[in-house]
Amino acid sequence: AGQSGKKGYFELAHKGTLLLDEIGELPLNMQAKLLHVLDNQSFHKVGGEKSIKVDTRIIAATNRPLEELVNSGEFRADLYYRLRVLSVTIPPLREHREDIPDLAMAFLDEACKRHGTVKTFSPRVLACFAAHSWPGNVRELRASVEFLAAMTEGSIIRVADLPSYILASSPEIAAELDQLENEDSPKGLKQAVHALEYSMIRDALRKSGSTYKAAALLGVSQSTVVRKAQQLGITVAEE
């Protein structure tokens, strides 16, 4: 530290944007100080005598349910409502499974560049990825792809290379996909995804008895279930 001190994050973000990541983990005493800055647009440095004015745009992010934390007393209600000016909810991967193959391929390209290798996924692997619930969301997917890129020997990452927790989440689908032939052919991916979607939607409709309940089981909208069923030739009325 110099005699003149140094700038903190709020001061550095003057006329700019400050991201407060993991805001749900902030201790209550720090929540009170943050609320003071947001309300008054000023703060005192530690040991400082002058009030410093700042004009900063705030973005707060968390993966914890702030409303529940407010109800349990772990998060200040006044700070919560002060931050909740514009809310953007990012859905978990299980609610937009159609993006998983593209994300996995992008992460694999990044990992291959770092390791100086060239690898790709077999169509069955991408289908297994799409069937997994990914409780850790994008971070878990990225970490799994990084592991596979570093630890597999061949240029094609196959179902046998997948960790057990991914295979265990969809054993029936993995067994169905394992029967597909010509996995490395150009149309293999299309066949695998078709088989996966058909199996998941058919089973969800049979178990639930309605498109609304099937959508809830799959983590998608009802319109998506109806549209996909029509595309795959599944008669909703019969199911």
Side-chain angles (χ1 to χ4, degrees):
Q3 290 184 349
S4 59
K6 75 172 194 176
K7 293 182 179 180
Y9 286 126
F10 268 98
E11 195 171 355
L12 288 171
H14 180 58
K15 296 297 182 180
T17 302
L18 178 62
L19 171 63
L20 302 177
D21 200 6
E22 304 294 355
I23 191 70
E25 309 293 339
L26 198 64
L28 285 170
N29 64 324
M30 290 300 297
Q31 292 179 30
K33 294 180 179 180
L34 175 59
L35 180 62
H36 175 82
V37 178
L38 297 179
D39 281 341
N40 300 304
Q41 296 185 326
S42 65
F43 65 94
H44 284 80
K45 286 187 176 182
V46 176
E49 299 177 350
K50 296 181 179 179
S51 177
I52 299 175
K53 296 283 290 184
V54 288
D55 179 11
T56 304
R57 179 190 294 109
I58 299 296
I59 298 176
T62 183
N63 65 347
R64 302 187 65 189
L66 290 185
E67 289 189 11
E68 295 180 15
L69 296 180
V70 169
N71 294 332
S72 64
E74 298 177 68
F75 200 86
R76 293 179 62 108
D78 45 8
L79 177 58
Y80 171 66
Y81 294 120
R82 183 68 177 79
L83 290 171
R84 197 188 63 179
V85 177
L86 174 63
S87 297
V88 177
T89 301
I90 300 176
L93 275 181
R94 63 180 177 273
E95 293 184 11
H96 55 107
R97 297 177 187 271
E98 65 275 9
D99 294 332
I100 292 176
D102 288 338
L103 286 170
M105 290 300 300
F107 293 151
L108 181 61
D109 288 343
E110 294 176 359
C112 287
K113 288 179 182 178
R114 285 194 297 272
H115 296 293
T117 59
V118 178
K119 296 187 179 184
T120 188
F121 293 116
S122 76
R124 293 185 228 175
V125 168
L126 292 176
C128 286
F129 279 168
H132 186 54
S133 61
W134 299 108
N137 289 306
V138 176
R139 288 190 179 113
E140 183 187 1
L141 176 60
R142 185 192 293 270
S144 297
V145 171
E146 182 74 29
F147 166 79
L148 292 169
M151 300 303 294
T152 53
E153 295 182 358
S155 60
I156 299 177
I157 299 173
R158 304 179 183 276
V159 173
D161 298 319
L162 294 177
S164 59
Y165 67 87
I166 293 180
L167 294 176
S169 65
S170 54
E172 295 179 1
I173 295 174
E176 283 189 38
L177 294 172
D178 198 48
Q179 297 175 5
L180 291 175
E181 295 180 353
N182 302 321
E183 71 167 13
D184 299 324
S185 66
K187 58 183 180 180
L189 174 59
K190 190 173 182 179
Q191 290 176 334
V193 173
H194 183 280
L196 170 67
E197 290 183 334
Y198 184 92
S199 177
M200 293 183 70
I201 293 175
R202 179 199 62 194
D203 292 346
L205 287 169
R206 285 178 175 175
K207 290 178 182 178
S208 63
S210 73
T211 56
Y212 177 80
K213 293 179 181 178
L217 286 175
L218 296 171
V220 298
S221 66
Q222 185 180 17
S223 61
T224 297
V225 171
V226 174
R227 174 172 54 82
K228 287 287 186 181
Q230 292 174 345
Q231 292 175 350
L232 297 167
I234 301 173
T235 304
V236 175
E238 292 179 357
E239 296 295 350

